Amino acid sequence: MILKINLFLFLAFTSTIIAQNSLPQVSKGKIERIENFQSKYVTARNIDVWLPEKYSSDTKYAVLYMHDGQMLYDAENSWNKQAWNVEEAASKLLESDSVKQFIIVGIWNGGSTRHADYFPQKPFETLSEVEKDTVSNQLKNSHVDIDNAFKPLSDNYLKFIVEELKPHIDQNFSVHSDMENTFIAGSSMGGLISMYAICEYPNIFGGAACLSTHWPGTFTLDNNPVPQSFMNYLEQNLPNLKNHKIYFDTGDQTLDSLYPEIQKRVDNILIENGFDSSNWKTEYFPGEGHSENAWSKRIHLPLEFLLKK
């Protein structure tokens, strides 16, 4: 059975680009927007870069790339009037001097392309044709906006970040460009693409935060080949545990109710591959659901884990 709780909200998020012309209002620091960033790999989209208080060209900053940039900073400008308020958590950590100096690069999602942009491509391509058809039908039954057969575009989305966006950020902001100071984070489908990014580009990203990772890929666990394809991929493609960090978490309400059992399987793969508390963390949040409000409560945890001095 397809989980219907919060599915309407999830799909509205997936299929809507916010008509947002004004910059998000932030309580700390400031936003610089790169309007309508052009790419040969993905649809054009805004990039909202958050700079902390006292940002200075005399200092070099680490960089955190975050997906779903529309939802990060300002609830009044988001489609569901919720936001991560990530600048508040970041500012508190910076003020406590417990983390590296860093900036946040908020990458807007592509609206109707979001599911395809964020769905890990190589695991999908290992599926049989029958399994691919199953996935396409499950997504269509959930009213995900796809034409005929579903086809992930995430390899191109990652090329956009690595080959186009990151060089622009490195050139135009006072940042470290090395792997040890480059991180990626997101929730739900954004959690999936963050996991995929650190596996595909371990020489680029030193850490990934994957909140409420949408392991089913579709919206049902019944006859769903996707989670196993992700497990198989992880077993073969985890980054070097000596110089990479990975954070996962999940609630157990609304859409997050699909995740805990799969997350435990992911945890076992990490343990079997030698990951421990120095380079991996999975947090469980009973009673929490699938929303920006929930992620806002705990975003400080992955920030501190990935960026601690």
Side-chain angles (χ1 to χ4, degrees):
M1 178 181 293
I2 294 173
L3 187 77
K4 297 185 182 299
I5 302 173
N6 269 19
L7 183 55
F8 171 78
L9 297 180
F10 185 100
L11 295 174
F13 183 14
T14 298
S15 62
T16 304
I17 298 179
I18 313 303
Q20 179 185 3
N21 295 316
S22 60
L23 290 179
Q25 297 299 304
V26 290
S27 59
K28 296 277 190 175
K30 65 176 182 177
I31 299 290
E32 289 192 8
R33 172 166 293 168
I34 306 168
E35 189 107 26
N36 205 34
F37 191 99
Q38 299 295 309
S39 168
K40 65 182 178 182
Y41 295 116
V42 297
T43 54
R45 60 199 65 201
N46 290 343
I47 311 295
D48 284 342
V49 181
W50 177 77
L51 305 176
E53 300 278 341
K54 301 179 183 178
Y55 171 83
S56 168
S57 59
D58 295 330
T59 299
K60 288 285 189 180
Y61 296 80
V63 184
L64 174 65
Y65 291 88
M66 293 190 71
H67 314 290
D68 293 317
Q70 296 100 311
M71 312 300 293
L72 298 179
Y73 308 113
D74 185 353
E76 289 304 310
N77 276 346
S78 73
W79 69 271
N80 63 355
K81 301 305 179 184
Q82 295 186 34
W84 291 61
N85 301 313
V86 65
E87 82 282 358
E88 295 181 10
S91 294
K92 287 180 181 178
L93 290 171
L94 289 169
E95 288 166 5
S96 72
D97 200 32
S98 61
V99 296
K100 302 176 181 181
Q101 292 288 320
F102 70 101
I103 70 170
I104 299 171
V105 178
I107 309 166
W108 280 39
N109 68 58
S112 62
T113 69
R114 179 178 181 267
H115 211 84
D117 283 346
Y118 291 178
F119 195 115
Q121 188 165 336
K122 288 183 173 62
F124 181 84
E125 290 172 348
T126 66
L127 300 177
S128 68
E129 291 305 312
V130 170
E131 289 172 329
K132 290 176 183 176
D133 287 343
T134 297
V135 172
S136 293
N137 288 331
Q138 288 180 0
L139 290 174
K140 288 176 185 175
N141 289 339
S142 302
H143 306 291
V144 174
D145 185 14
I146 59 174
D147 294 326
N148 299 316
F150 176 64
K151 186 175 181 181
L153 304 172
S154 53
D155 284 358
N156 272 349
Y157 178 71
L158 292 183
K159 286 179 181 177
F160 147 66
I161 296 174
V162 170
E163 298 180 15
E164 298 175 331
L165 180 57
K166 184 178 185 297
H168 181 91
I169 298 297
D170 291 347
Q171 183 175 352
N172 290 279
F173 295 88
S174 181
V175 297
H176 295 289
S177 60
D178 58 325
M179 176 265 288
E180 289 81 4
N181 290 284
T182 306
F183 305 91
I184 194 160
S187 64
S188 193
M189 292 299 293
L192 280 181
I193 192 62
S194 298
M195 173 275 292
Y196 191 50
I198 198 172
C199 292
E200 288 294 294
Y201 291 95
N203 60 322
I204 299 294
F205 302 105
C210 313
L211 290 75
S212 295
T213 310
H214 191 62
W215 296 115
T218 69
F219 299 93
T220 178
L221 297 181
D222 297 337
N223 190 33
N224 185 346
V226 171
Q228 186 59 53
S229 74
F230 291 155
M231 302 303 108
N232 296 342
Y233 174 82
L234 280 173
E235 286 175 347
Q236 300 298 319
N237 293 280
L238 282 170
N240 190 328
L241 56 82
K242 293 180 180 179
N243 56 3
H244 292 82
K245 291 182 176 182
I246 306 178
Y247 171 97
F248 292 106
D249 72 25
T250 180
D252 63 1
Q253 301 299 307
T254 65
L255 202 57
D256 273 39
S257 67
L258 297 177
Y259 306 154
E261 292 307 311
I262 305 175
Q263 186 61 56
K264 290 174 184 175
R265 294 171 59 193
V266 173
D267 295 347
N268 286 333
I269 290 171
L270 290 163
I271 292 168
E272 290 167 0
N273 281 271
F275 280 79
D276 59 29
S277 60
S278 68
N279 46 33
W280 153 64
K281 180 178 285 190
T282 294
E283 297 280 4
Y284 290 87
F285 296 95
E288 291 291 347
H290 196 88
S291 70
E292 286 73 25
N293 285 344
W295 303 320
S296 177
K297 293 179 188 177
R298 61 184 193 251
I299 183 58
H300 64 284
L301 297 174
L303 293 184
E304 190 167 28
F305 179 65
L306 296 182
L307 288 146
K308 67 181 178 182
K309 289 183 174 179

